[in-house]
Amino acid sequence: NAGVTQTPKFQVLKTGQSMTLQCAQDMNHNSMYWYRQDPGMGLRLIYYSASEGTTDKGEVPNGYNVSRLNKREFSLRLESAAPSQTSVYFCASSEAGWSEKLFFGSGTQLSVL
Amino acid sequence: SQQGEEDPQALSIQEGENATMNCSYKTSINNLQWYRQNSGRGLVHLILIRSNEREKHSGRLRVTLDTSKKSSSLLITASRAADTASYFCATGLQGAQKLVFGQGTRLTINP
């Protein structure tokens, strides 16, 4: 049982490049989330998907787009990367929303030069 | 300022001692959760306590919640070197689809 799987684990981009972070969960969870973690800032919510077919903005959505491809997969896209997007990105899932515990992936460390 | 703020920011104790971390928050919550993060890894859920609960236990972990003071504490008893990690509280806000994380407490257990 893999839980939440994120790819890639590390990525270096140049300013202006685009990329997609992939996330998949095998726990049949309804809700999925993307967070970023910066030193001294805790985790901040970028986007979330309460259920298949829905997506909503979180605290820091600017510069990102998401796709809930199916119940298992939730991807995060950076269309034109900026140095301010250098961060560690975490995908998470839960059975049904914020009242349940979250299961996290191992993270993607992204550097934008 | 943060909805959930942990205190202290860093804590260093000897193996075998108890570790206590605190979390304060500002607005009404549905639940409060504690997570652990080992260096370079994702967060792992420890305990969820709902707003109508006052205390929960899980193994060596004890969590209390005081909604009148808008605060929670996480107690780790008989600490081990493997408990070295960052610990985060996360508050599920009442009336909002949100789980807000604090900045974390970095716990170091010295052998």
Side-chain angles (χ1 to χ4, degrees):
Chain A
N1 195 339
V4 179
T5 303
Q6 289 182 239
T7 56
K9 292 192 183 303
F10 301 94
Q11 185 71 48
V12 178
L13 295 177
K14 295 180 180 178
T15 297
Q17 287 185 319
S18 63
M19 78 161 296
T20 300
L21 281 65
Q22 306 286 354
C23 175
Q25 52 90 11
D26 62 3
M27 296 173 282
N28 201 36
H29 284 170
N30 290 302
S31 304
M32 298 185 74
Y33 317 84
W34 277 104
Y35 284 90
R36 59 177 288 173
Q37 184 177 33
D38 302 294
M41 299 287 290
L43 276 78
R44 291 182 293 170
L45 182 67
I46 305 171
Y47 270 93
Y48 67 99
S49 171
S51 60
E52 187 179 356
T54 68
T55 61
D56 287 284
K57 295 179 180 179
E59 186 182 353
V60 287
N62 291 345
Y64 305 95
N65 284 302
V66 290
S67 295
R68 183 76 183 265
L69 304 171
N70 47 55
K71 193 171 185 179
R72 289 187 65 247
E73 298 172 286
F74 188 39
S75 62
L76 177 72
R77 183 161 177 83
L78 286 70
E79 291 290 351
S80 179
S84 61
Q85 294 178 305
T86 293
S87 187
V88 181
Y89 291 84
F90 288 100
C91 176
S93 70
S94 68
E95 191 169 328
W98 306 103
S99 61
E100 305 295 329
K101 63 183 180 182
L102 270 58
F103 292 79
F104 282 83
S106 57
T108 296
Q109 190 167 321
L110 175 66
S111 295
V112 183
L113 306 177
Chain B
S1 61
Q2 296 281 337
Q3 156 70 353
E5 295 189 4
E6 286 96 339
D7 172 60
Q9 291 189 344
L11 179 61
S12 181
I13 61 174
Q14 295 299 120
E15 195 167 17
E17 293 181 338
N18 295 341
T20 299
M21 288 158 271
N22 302 296
C23 172
S24 60
Y25 58 92
K26 293 181 169 57
T27 60
S28 296
I29 61 171
N30 286 320
N31 68 76
L32 188 144
Q33 305 182 33
W34 285 91
Y35 289 81
R36 183 187 73 232
Q37 184 180 34
N38 291 93
S39 181
R41 307 294 296 271
L43 279 74
V44 175
H45 181 268
L46 297 175
I47 289 184
L48 182 155
I49 187 165
R50 303 198 187 277
S51 58
N52 61 351
E53 298 175 310
R54 292 297 168 259
E55 188 170 312
K56 285 191 92 168
H57 296 256
S58 177
R60 293 183 296 112
L61 306 181
R62 173 179 169 250
V63 168
T64 61
L65 178 64
D66 187 334
T67 53
S68 67
K69 294 181 179 178
K70 291 187 169 58
S71 68
S72 173
S73 66
L74 169 66
L75 169 67
I76 303 174
T77 59
S79 63
R80 305 167 181 169
D83 294 328
T84 294
S86 291
Y87 291 80
F88 294 87
C89 72
T91 49
L93 303 185
Q94 202 171 79
Q97 297 297 312
K98 254 185 163 183
L99 188 67
V100 180
F101 284 81
Q103 297 177 27
T105 292
R106 192 169 58 253
L107 175 65
T108 302
I109 308 299
N110 301 303

